[in-house]
Amino acid sequence: MQLESRLDSIIKKVRSYHPDPNITQLRDAYEYARRMHEGQSRKSGEPYMTHPLEVMDIIADLRLDVASLVAGLLHDTVEDTDTTVEEIRSRFGEDVAFLVDGVTKLSKFQFNTRQEAQAENIRKMIIAMSRDLRVILVKLSDRLHNMRTLKYMSSSGQERKSRETMDIYAPLAHRLGLYWVKTELEDLAFRYLHPESYYDIAEKVASKKRQRQSFIREVISILDDLLSENGIDAEVYGRPKNFWSIYRKMREQQIEFEQVFDVLAFRIIVDKRAQCYESLGMVHNLWKPIPGRFKDYIAISKPNGYQSLHTSVIGPYQERIEIQIRTQEMHKVAEEGIAAHWLYKEGKAVPDRDDEKFAWLHQLMEEHQDHEDPVEFLESVKIDLFHDEVYVFTPQGDVLSFPSGATPVDFAYAIHTEIGQRCSGAKVNGKMVPLKYQVQNGDIVEIITHKNQRPNKDWLSFVKTGRARTKIRKSVRREQRERSRELGRELLDKELKNHNTNIRAWERSGKLDEALEKSRYATSEEMLGDIGYGKTQAETIVEKIYGDEEGDDKQKPKAEKESRLGQLWNKIVDRGKTGVVVDGIEDVMVSYAKCCNPVPGDNIIGFVTRGRGLSIHTRDCKSVSHLERERQIAVSWANDTEVPDSARRPVSIRVYCTDKPGLLANISQSFSAAGVNISEAQCVTTDDRRAVNTFEVLVNNRDQLTRAMKNIEKIKGVYKVERTTT
Ligand code: MN
């Protein structure tokens, strides 16, 4: 009976703000929940049903819609009774089922609130995950009632719930502009987290209660008179600040309770915005303002829409008091938070169009109306406040936020640079995923590392965070420098072999230092790197030391020297004219692989060879797959490179045709028409009067080659033209 009369009073409250509530559904939901929770009781000994009812009452205080009220009544049925979400859907509709499901899921989260910094992430994650803001409002109502009745819980449960409330739910209420929910949650949590301080403050506030109340009355009457004398119609209220904010002030300023003067806060509520500033002027004229305490949240409102003027003054008896000045409309927003932005018109809830501060809500509403039944209540609105971010867990339960589209590699670098560098694989929710997998809200990401793993240049194509990008670039560059030093060392050693010595001997004898000095290098790393990149030549370095001893060598004809170099480098084209770019550096010594004979325009890849510089292959060359991955270097053709004749690339072309006199002449004509020189030709005829001609030609680039091949294909009698590889 008691429960029924409680329900009636709540329904009365709903009618006070809702023009046309579905009372039948509210009563049905109540009956259903009561039946489901039959026989269950709360820790206090009361019937369990008191809890859903009180949650519903708080939801009514938040002035929410019927679906939210119903969800409040049913919020524990899926978790604690035999009911399923499907059952609720069939009885109360999709909307209620969605809310109950959302609240049930949120309740299952075990928040790890060790770190303060985590709270913001978790808050955002809750919003991102629940999408529909009403899920959070119902959950907040549930939490508020649980906190109000926390005394029946075990002390460890009290501690945990209070910590979670302080870290997550109170800030969440604050973010939504629900000040009364926020302050009540704070004071309730404070009581269990710091009981001694709480009761100390509570006692001190109470002991001066009478004195305080007469003081409050005095200030109110002074302000009333002041404002009405000046023709401003205003309501004035006064109250002690909440205990938690007094405590926080004591702690932050390291002061005693007695020194916290402005424990009293007054509120002046006027009609018009201009009157706020007028009233402020009058107050400051009457009482001395405390410098640095004035805040204009009207001109610049808080992100959650809160508007007010705040000031602290030295009031009667030199007592410091805080005064907030706002309009009725601003007050409504401050008290009701997000709910103040819904107008109940003709049975619909629509956002208040006159309120510019909530333009984002209007926009959301409008977007949604395009594809939803506009007759629906605010339940149709999905709040996607943080759609650009995703929140994922470490296996330890910490939450990290990332830009949407982020990958396990971003995650790995966010954990630790070393983890990123050694990241070889990833598991998401226990399953292996590719490294370019895009993490989703709530994913648990685990990184697999391998000591031989190195950052891969390909990662740059999918990572989303600046941190990962920078680290990968840096590492790839460093590795290429290392490789070029390694290559430089090999080249110098090879050159020294001609003088029957080697680098170790040079190091021991001090000749290396001498060479460094003579060629103006500060370190051997720098010099070897330059040799590797082809910026300087090993021979030049060696000459600095042996040049004088081997006077003869200097006199040798240039051609001979070049041929020796040629031997060493095989088919290396002159530096700076190679047309190949390695990581933005053009002066690279390269040789072109014989197996695939790449020409400018081909998709290519470089390999650091032992002693032959960088060997360039086409990416689809068969030998590539056999080569060591660590020696791969991404290379590309330099743009707009004028290819000198000396840098023309030899390519082998095979032409299948009929064995017909004159055809060979036509083919060679086609080559020269495309500007391609033939350096060698071979002709084989087959028994069936066919011919296979193989041409060694020199081309500038792929385009030229393609042009020549197309021309040849058009010749009558030609079956097939192909570029050969070995
Ligand atoms: Mn509950």
Side-chain angles (χ1 to χ4, degrees), residues 662-680:
L663 202 59
L664 200 59
N666 284 346
I667 293 170
S668 45
Q669 224 165 32
S670 295
F671 275 125
S672 50
V676 175
N677 291 337
I678 302 171
S679 54
E680 222 181 294

Side-chain angles (χ1 to χ4, degrees), residues 173-227:
H174 176 74
R175 167 159 220 136
L176 296 171
L178 302 165
Y179 286 94
W180 69 270
V181 177
K182 174 208 169 218
T183 50
E184 193 179 339
L185 284 174
E186 278 175 352
D187 273 1
L188 287 166
F190 174 38
R191 182 168 165 181
Y192 295 99
L193 289 173
H194 308 279
E196 279 178 28
S197 306
Y198 175 90
Y199 288 109
D200 187 39
I201 289 173
E203 198 179 297
K204 281 172 176 154
V205 169
S207 74
K208 289 186 172 178
K209 203 171 176 185
R210 181 162 298 181
Q211 200 187 329
R212 199 176 305 278
Q213 269 165 350
S214 79
F215 179 79
I216 288 175
R217 273 197 300 276
E218 189 173 345
V219 170
I220 290 176
S221 93
I222 293 172
L223 286 172
D224 265 339
D225 291 350
L226 176 74
L227 294 165

Side-chain angles (χ1 to χ4, degrees), residues 629-641:
R629 227 183 134 69
E630 298 91 75
R631 292 188 162 250
Q632 287 185 16
I633 292 185
V635 294
S636 58
W637 299 101
N639 285 334
D640 314 317
T641 309

Side-chain angles (χ1 to χ4, degrees), residues 644-656:
D645 284 352
S646 63
R648 285 184 162 195
R649 301 286 313 121
V651 176
S652 172
I653 301 292
R654 195 164 292 155
V655 182
Y656 298 86

Side-chain angles (χ1 to χ4, degrees), residues 400-605:
L400 296 172
S401 76
F402 292 95
S404 88
T407 64
V409 177
D410 293 293
F411 179 91
Y413 276 102
I415 300 282
H416 196 279
T417 304
E418 259 322 283
I419 309 263
Q421 305 287 73
R422 301 280 173 257
C423 168
S424 65
K427 276 186 186 172
V428 166
N429 306 324
K431 288 198 191 91
M432 288 296 298
V433 295
L435 285 180
K436 63 180 173 193
Y437 168 85
Q438 301 195 337
V439 295
Q440 307 293 315
N441 265 325
D443 275 353
I444 299 167
V445 183
E446 191 182 339
I447 297 300
I448 298 155
T449 57
H450 191 275
K451 61 178 170 21
N452 292 336
Q453 178 69 33
R454 299 280 150 72
N456 190 321
K457 210 173 177 183
D458 295 343
W459 293 359
L460 290 171
S461 68
F462 57 73
V463 293
K464 283 286 181 298
T465 54
R467 180 187 168 89
R469 190 171 299 277
T470 311
K471 300 275 185 194
I472 295 166
R473 276 221 190 93
K474 212 169 147 189
S475 160
V476 166
R477 226 175 274 144
R478 189 181 54 229
E479 202 162 314
Q480 288 184 347
R481 269 200 303 275
E482 271 165 25
R483 280 185 215 158
S484 74
R485 277 200 293 271
E486 191 187 328
L487 177 61
R489 178 172 271 272
E490 280 175 24
L491 289 170
L492 183 61
D493 226 17
K494 205 147 208 162
E495 185 61 33
L496 288 175
K497 219 171 255 172
N498 295 336
H499 299 270
N500 298 319
T501 179
N502 56 42
I503 292 183
R504 284 184 179 282
W506 260 36
E507 275 164 353
R508 277 197 301 271
S509 64
K511 282 214 167 57
L512 187 68
D513 288 338
E514 202 182 325
L516 288 176
E517 203 175 306
K518 280 186 174 168
S519 43
R520 297 177 194 282
Y521 279 107
T523 64
S524 60
E525 278 81 17
E526 208 181 305
M527 182 181 79
L528 294 173
D530 271 8
I531 296 173
Y533 270 129
K535 284 183 178 167
T536 191
Q537 294 186 19
E539 192 191 24
T540 315
I541 303 294
V542 173
E543 266 180 9
K544 301 258 190 223
I545 303 299
Y546 299 118
D548 289 334
E549 299 166 25
E550 298 184 13
D552 289 352
D553 195 45
K554 258 196 170 170
Q555 307 306 318
K556 277 182 187 171
K558 207 168 177 253
E560 200 178 324
K561 263 206 249 172
E562 277 180 3
S563 86
R564 204 180 72 193
L565 199 69
Q567 267 177 2
L568 178 66
W569 283 93
N570 203 346
K571 281 227 166 189
I572 293 170
V573 184
D574 286 352
R575 285 184 300 132
K577 294 176 188 167
T578 63
V580 170
V581 185
V582 178
D583 202 33
I585 301 160
E586 287 197 38
D587 295 354
V588 195
M589 284 188 163
V590 296
S591 62
Y592 295 95
K594 283 285 185 65
C595 44
C596 52
N597 273 323
V599 299
D602 282 341
N603 217 338
I604 49 172
I605 188 159

